[in-house]
Amino acid sequence: MLMQTRFGDFGGAFVPEILLPALEQLEAAFLDAQSDPAFAAELEHLLTTYAGRPTPLTRCRNLGSEKVRLYLKREDLLHGGAHKTNQVLAQALLAKRMGKLRLIAETGAGQHGVATAMAGALMGLETRIYMGAEDVARQQLNVFRMELMGAEVVPVESGGRTLKDAVNEALRDWTASFEDTHYLLGTVAGPHPFPTLVRDFQKVIGKEAREQMLAMESRLPDAVVACVGGGSNAIGIFTEFVPDAEVALIGCEAGGDGKGRDGATIGHGKPGILHGAHTMLMQDEDGQVVDSHSVSAGLDYPAVGPEHAHLAATGRATYVPVTDREALDAFRTLARREGIIPAFESAHAVAHALKLADQAEREGKELVLLVNLSGRGDKDMAQAQALLGGGA
Amino acid sequence: MTRRYDAMFAACREEGRGAFGAFLMIGDPDLGASEAMIEAAIAGGADMLELGIPFSDPVADGPVIQAAACRALGAGTTPSKCLEVIATIRARHPDIPIGILTYANIAVARGVGQFAGELAKAGVDSLLLADIPSLEAAPFAAAIRAAGIAPVLIAAPNTPDQALAAIARLAGGYTYCVARKGVTGAKDDMELDHTRLFERLAALGAPPPVLGFGIGTAAQVRASLDAGAAGVISGSAIVAAAAKSGDHAVAVERVVEDLASATKSKRAPRQAQACAN
Ligand SMILES: Cc1ncc(COP(=O)(O)O)c(C=O)c1O
């Protein structure tokens, strides 16, 4: 490999030998694209004219107060309904550059699958999406959206039938198909170069948000809050703020039922190797990976991107669990008070921000929060209806 | 540390044939049955054993071995219990080379050195971690060697020269060559253009090449050895036959006999030379 493959102790490329050349080819294409102004121009063109960048920064009108100000980075307004589109368009361009004919991807909530299906349709690439059978059941609408855009959705029946198992299946496909197929991994997890590549194509979120914040507030936020599944929307909004030591970076992990059935990988895991990376991992004492649990399919993952493991180890970012219940309350609150329906995943970040805001109000402190609203809640409507009932 | 492999390859060479390795998952469908199946593989004529310790997320495995790992874990198989089975087999069979195939996290959870040490104590000769490629292999290989067993690494036809050189430098016992792209599983699309890979490995002084992943018929065994492999490993074909049959051990012995006998056809002397290393 030509680039640094590690973030401190974490990262690497722990894949079967046969996949290494595919990762090396991807790294080379990524480096080559980075030094090609035509690539940057084409991506920029797609992001503005197709995906809808820049996305707005919205100050909450009703939540918060004069002193406690909540800002939402509106990735929910991006084409496709979530931040996923940013890096999917970039990877699809890379796939074209490498002469690949086919895309494969894993998906949890279905948002990454939808974004990949979009890119496949746009660029004329055959697309296959692996999705845990349990997620297929709870994200029916997204399955239909993917199929409508011409992707084949393959339900994965192994293991806990969620995101982890979908990644396994996508990796297996890729070990046989890498010659003509690009694995369009959906988050900052997996083997090098994915964590670096996906971060670099998601950091546009924080870049815009930092400028917008300075324009609206003439100051930086006290904290940046984002939900963490694999960690792509969080890294996307954190990266630009990492050098700003006075800005707290807070990742919200799936706290599940609050009694141990959760997806709080950094909170409850320990270092291990899964899906190509040395990272924090939920596992038993023998090293068997345990199934995660979350109301949100997108946070239902027992590992986390290696750069988050590093940011946690160095203390630059902190990670907190947010329970299903808290996320659902925040989901309802944001809908009622601001007229914005967040994705269940994003609702975890909103919940923690509201908690911090309440505390600041009680203490009479000034607080400016930047929350990454990573996606919109359309995909969650059926599940929300079932969980909250008609009288939400 | 490669004493049993060296002796076994030398004996095969003497007999003018290739080695036959049988893969079985320890604990599939339970510990007792898998122990009987391992005995049956030996009785059927296996020259070397490749035994799996089940991992929850076997990304290098196809449906047959995945299902085996799943059954084993479902039956409560743990690495500690696997070690007991291995020690029992070793006590009865002092000479057969025993390799362990599992995934990195199983080793990392105990500490690689500690895990390799426990394997050595149980009588294991080598350890292959399916998700440790040449790029990441150095610290693992060092810890495994320090425990007194051989680190086995995988080489593929698409492995570039630099990586192959690292494999030759780090690996011991034998070189696990994959028969085709993709995950484990008996398929009829085995890519038989391995002569070039075997030549490159020989030039680099790598341990003897053994071909695996997708070898399930006597014809494939024959073709692999004719291409210059020192041996073959068959897994999915054995595991699938056992899973289908009412008597797992009988099925294993029958399949192993059939495949192992295919290693016995006379080989041209030049090709037999490829065994030497
Ligand atoms: C809206 C939304 N936010 C967040 C996530 C979690 O992914 P990541 O942690 O990579 O941002 C998902 C994943 O599906 C998602 O759909």
Side-chain angles (χ1 to χ4, degrees):
Chain A
M1 295 288 174
L2 303 166
M3 303 169 74
Q4 173 60 257
T5 67
R6 294 286 201 282
F7 307 92
D9 287 342
F10 300 101
F14 297 90
V15 295
E17 185 75 39
I18 195 144
L19 271 182
L20 266 193
L23 297 176
E24 276 167 354
Q25 182 193 25
L26 178 59
E27 188 197 54
F30 174 48
L31 285 172
D32 181 60
Q34 274 183 325
S35 60
D36 178 2
F39 180 86
E42 189 174 8
L43 180 57
E44 174 72 21
H45 180 75
L46 282 175
L47 287 176
T48 51
T49 67
Y50 180 77
R53 294 218 79 85
T55 59
L57 185 69
T58 302
R59 176 169 165 200
C60 288
R61 208 180 157 100
N62 302 309
L63 293 167
S65 61
E66 272 307 304
K67 272 180 129 174
V68 177
R69 303 186 290 283
L70 262 72
Y71 287 85
L72 307 175
K73 179 60 175 166
R74 302 293 305 280
E75 295 302 295
D76 61 315
L77 295 178
L78 204 64
H79 179 44
H83 68 290
K84 305 281 179 187
T85 305
N86 297 321
Q87 72 97 6
V88 163
L89 290 174
Q91 280 201 58
L93 287 178
L94 282 180
K96 281 287 212 191
R97 241 179 132 80
M98 292 184 288
K100 309 279 170 172
L101 306 171
R102 181 172 170 263
L103 299 176
I104 54 171
E106 82 295 342
T107 197
Q111 288 305 104
H112 175 58
V114 164
T116 305
M118 250 165 47
L122 182 67
M123 314 258 182
L125 295 164
E126 189 191 324
T127 304
R128 171 185 278 189
I129 307 295
Y130 290 98
M131 188 169 186
E134 176 163 340
D135 293 337
V136 168
R138 58 181 164 174
Q139 302 286 349
Q140 270 299 317
L141 213 52
N142 267 347
V143 173
F144 184 65
R145 290 165 82 197
M146 289 183 261
E147 288 172 348
L148 201 55
M149 289 184 282
E152 177 195 2
V153 180
V154 179
V156 176
E157 297 286 352
S158 58
R161 304 153 85 234
T162 62
L163 182 54
K164 166 182 87 105
D165 313 290
V167 176
N168 287 342
E169 218 43 50
L171 279 169
R172 288 180 187 122
D173 181 320
W174 206 33
T175 58
S177 64
F178 56 83
E179 275 164 6
D180 69 352
T181 298
H182 176 60
Y183 178 13
L184 208 160
L185 208 150
T187 186
V188 287
H192 175 79
F194 287 110
T196 299
L197 181 158
V198 175
R199 175 200 64 204
D200 282 7
F201 292 127
Q202 284 293 7
K203 68 184 180 196
V204 61
I205 303 172
K207 206 172 208 150
E208 285 175 11
R210 195 172 181 282
E211 280 169 21
Q212 291 165 321
M213 198 73 182
L214 287 172
M216 291 167 81
E217 274 282 338
S218 303
R219 56 163 282 190
L220 293 173
D222 295 300
V224 180
V225 185
C227 66
V228 178
S232 67
N233 87 88
I235 274 293
I237 198 160
F238 285 176
T239 299
E240 201 69 11
F241 293 95
V242 166
D244 303 316
E246 72 276 24
V247 179
L249 305 175
I250 304 172
C252 301
E253 298 194 297
D257 65 5
K259 301 181 200 121
R261 277 171 60 86
D262 59 42
T265 307
I266 292 176
H268 299 158
K270 57 178 190 177
I273 292 174
L274 181 72
H275 296 154
H278 182 236
T279 187
M280 295 299 281
L281 191 56
M282 290 170 56
Q283 54 186 316
D284 69 15
E285 70 271 25
D286 286 327
Q288 308 293 357
V289 182
V290 299
D291 288 326
S292 52
H293 294 279
S294 172
V295 68
S296 67
L299 305 187
D300 203 342
Y301 184 57
V304 68
E307 191 169 4
H308 285 292
H310 177 59
L311 288 172
T314 60
R316 178 60 191 94
T318 50
Y319 296 82
V320 296
V322 172
T323 64
D324 291 348
R325 185 74 261 156
E326 292 168 325
L328 284 172
D329 286 347
F331 171 83
R332 195 160 31 185
T333 302
L334 199 69
R336 282 276 182 89
R337 303 289 305 281
E338 300 292 334
I340 297 172
I341 302 177
F344 277 177
E345 291 78 11
S346 323
H348 286 70
V350 174
H352 189 67
L354 292 176
K355 213 187 281 181
L356 293 176
D358 275 353
Q359 195 182 334
E361 298 283 10
R362 278 199 309 275
E363 294 168 0
K365 284 191 186 142
E366 175 164 333
L367 184 71
V368 176
L369 293 176
L370 170 61
V371 179
N372 197 10
L373 206 72
S374 57
R376 57 179 177 250
D378 303 27
K379 69 182 173 60
D380 298 313
M381 285 304 101
Q383 206 189 345
Q385 211 172 11
L387 288 167
L388 300 173
Chain B
M1 101 178 78
T2 60
R3 165 176 71 81
R4 292 194 189 93
Y5 283 113
D6 297 343
M8 182 274 299
F9 284 123
C12 286
R13 212 158 46 232
E14 202 124 291
E15 293 168 31
R17 64 181 183 91
F20 182 77
F23 170 88
L24 285 162
M25 182 66 73
I26 307 176
D28 168 35
D30 57 57
L31 286 169
S34 73
E35 190 187 316
M37 286 153 71
I38 295 167
E39 286 291 351
I42 299 172
D47 298 296
M48 56 191 269
L49 296 173
E50 190 72 14
L51 303 179
I53 294 181
F55 176 53
S56 52
D57 294 83
V59 292
D61 285 303
V64 171
I65 312 259
Q66 277 178 57
C70 210
R71 286 190 295 266
L73 290 172
T77 305
T78 62
S80 301
K81 290 178 182 169
C82 291
L83 286 164
E84 289 170 24
V85 172
I86 297 162
T88 309
I89 299 289
R90 172 53 77 214
R92 289 195 214 116
H93 304 276
D95 297 326
I96 192 166
I98 301 179
I100 292 300
L101 198 164
T102 188
Y103 287 81
N105 203 50
I106 295 292
V108 167
R110 294 195 171 207
V112 181
Q114 157 98 15
F115 181 63
E118 288 177 45
L119 293 179
K121 215 171 126 221
V124 165
D125 298 288
S126 68
L127 173 60
L128 167 52
L129 300 169
D131 51 350
I132 297 294
S134 52
L135 180 72
E136 304 287 357
F140 287 83
I144 293 166
R145 271 178 195 279
I149 60 175
V152 171
L153 295 176
I154 292 184
N158 71 339
T159 305
D161 288 337
Q162 209 186 336
L164 216 55
I167 291 164
R169 194 171 62 245
L170 297 169
Y174 67 95
T175 307
Y176 198 123
C177 298
V178 292
R180 56 173 171 77
K181 291 176 295 176
V183 293
T184 56
K187 287 250 176 81
D188 43 16
D189 64 340
M190 194 180 89
E191 293 153 14
L192 284 174
D193 187 20
H194 287 82
T195 315
R196 179 83 195 102
L197 174 63
F198 298 152
E199 283 168 3
R200 290 164 69 211
L201 284 168
L204 290 163
V210 172
L211 200 59
F213 274 41
I215 295 189
T217 66
Q220 288 171 333
V221 171
R222 212 39 266 152
S224 307
L225 298 175
D226 286 346
V232 293
I233 291 178
S234 188
S236 296
I238 300 173
V239 173
K244 256 195 301 210
S245 156
D247 191 326
H248 302 313
V250 168
V252 167
E253 186 166 345
R254 200 174 302 138
V255 181
V256 171
E257 252 170 21
D258 175 47
L259 296 174
S261 63
T263 65
K264 292 193 176 103
S265 329
K266 204 77 196 131
R267 307 173 66 192
R270 193 189 62 81
Q271 285 163 336
Q273 215 39 48
C275 279
N277 197 277

